[in-house]
Amino acid sequence: MAIQQCPNGHQYDSSIYGNNCPFCPSEATHLSVGGGAGTPPPFNPQPSFDAGGGSTQVMGGGGYDAAPTVPVEGYDEPTQLMDEPGTEPMQQTFDEGRTKIRAIDGDENASNGRKLVGILVTYDLNPCGQVFPIYEGRNMVGRDQSCDIALTSDDKVSSKHLLIVWRNGEGIMWGEDQMSSNGTFVNDKFASEKFQLNNGDVLLVGKTKFLYLAIPQF
């Protein structure tokens, strides 16, 4: 083995390579950068996408000529990643399947500014108990979802079943059945006419039994 060192400091076996250092690039491998000879910068290929032709192109680092465009089989059109004129914004498309979280209205919004004057408590709809507020003015009880107290799961309740009214001038809670199919019962008695609702009274509306609790005014 004949060890020889080239002008660039590389050591190699001259019996195999002669005077041509295998570690030094030959003149054919040098690329011209800006018209002058020199060592090209490191090649660091990065993919880029041709949005006009629907093809994939690999670009070299600075100083290299652009690599040829390589078509991707099976893709005739470029993938649209950005909004374009005449198309629906991407945000609107994704919103259709997005879970939306809304804030729960407070008591002030639920009552439309009316004062809380009583509550109806039942264990028929929920074994742990459920509370329905009664506000000053008109309170409609029925199966219709538009009612203030909507009993949608009780098939014995009429769409507009019972009206409960509180007037500040009177200071009395009144109830009146709305000609419902199954009627309204107060303390196990059929209420055929307008009746006064007192603290501790038990109402039966359809199959749902309520306990009425008045809220003392202060």
Side-chain angles (χ1 to χ4, degrees):
M1 176 183 297
I3 303 299
Q4 183 172 331
Q5 182 172 332
C6 75
N8 292 326
H10 301 135
Q11 294 183 353
Y12 63 94
D13 188 352
S14 61
S15 63
I16 299 175
Y17 299 101
N19 294 325
N20 297 322
C21 175
F23 302 106
C24 294
S26 63
E27 294 182 0
T29 61
H30 288 276
L31 299 180
S32 176
V33 181
T39 302
F43 180 68
N44 183 21
Q46 297 179 355
S48 65
F49 300 95
D50 184 358
S55 57
T56 302
Q57 180 175 343
V58 179
M59 302 298 294
Y64 281 86
D65 293 334
T69 299
V70 181
V72 179
E73 183 178 357
Y75 293 89
D76 296 331
E77 297 295 334
T79 302
Q80 180 180 333
L81 299 179
M82 303 295 292
D83 294 342
E84 296 181 358
T87 63
E88 291 289 336
M90 294 173 64
Q91 187 69 27
Q92 292 183 5
T93 302
F94 295 150
D95 282 346
E96 294 177 0
R98 178 178 299 171
T99 302
K100 298 180 181 179
I101 302 176
R102 296 184 176 89
I104 300 175
D105 292 335
D107 291 340
E108 182 177 354
N109 292 332
S111 64
N112 295 322
R114 298 183 297 167
K115 188 175 182 180
L116 183 68
V117 293
I119 58 174
L120 294 178
V121 182
T122 181
Y123 291 91
D124 293 337
L125 303 177
N126 186 334
C128 294
Q130 191 166 352
V131 177
F132 295 91
I134 301 295
Y135 299 103
E136 60 184 0
R138 296 167 57 90
N139 301 264
M140 184 62 71
V141 182
R143 196 173 68 252
D144 197 300
Q145 291 185 352
S146 64
C147 293
D148 302 289
I149 300 176
L151 307 176
T152 57
S153 61
D154 191 338
D155 58 0
K156 298 297 183 181
V157 175
S158 299
S159 58
K160 299 287 191 300
H161 195 110
L162 172 65
L163 177 64
I164 299 176
V165 180
W166 168 273
R167 295 187 181 93
N168 288 328
E170 288 183 301
I172 298 174
M173 188 74 74
W174 294 100
E176 186 174 8
D177 185 85
Q178 301 298 290
M179 300 299 294
S180 63
S181 299
N182 296 300
T184 300
F185 292 81
V186 183
N187 299 325
D188 295 329
K189 294 181 179 180
F190 184 78
S192 58
E193 299 178 352
K194 181 179 178 180
F195 59 90
Q196 182 175 340
L197 194 57
N198 300 306
N199 184 49
D201 283 346
V202 176
L203 291 171
L204 180 61
V205 180
K207 297 183 297 185
T208 306
K209 184 177 290 187
F210 293 100
L211 172 66
Y212 169 68
L213 299 176
I215 297 179
Q217 303 301 302
F218 56 89

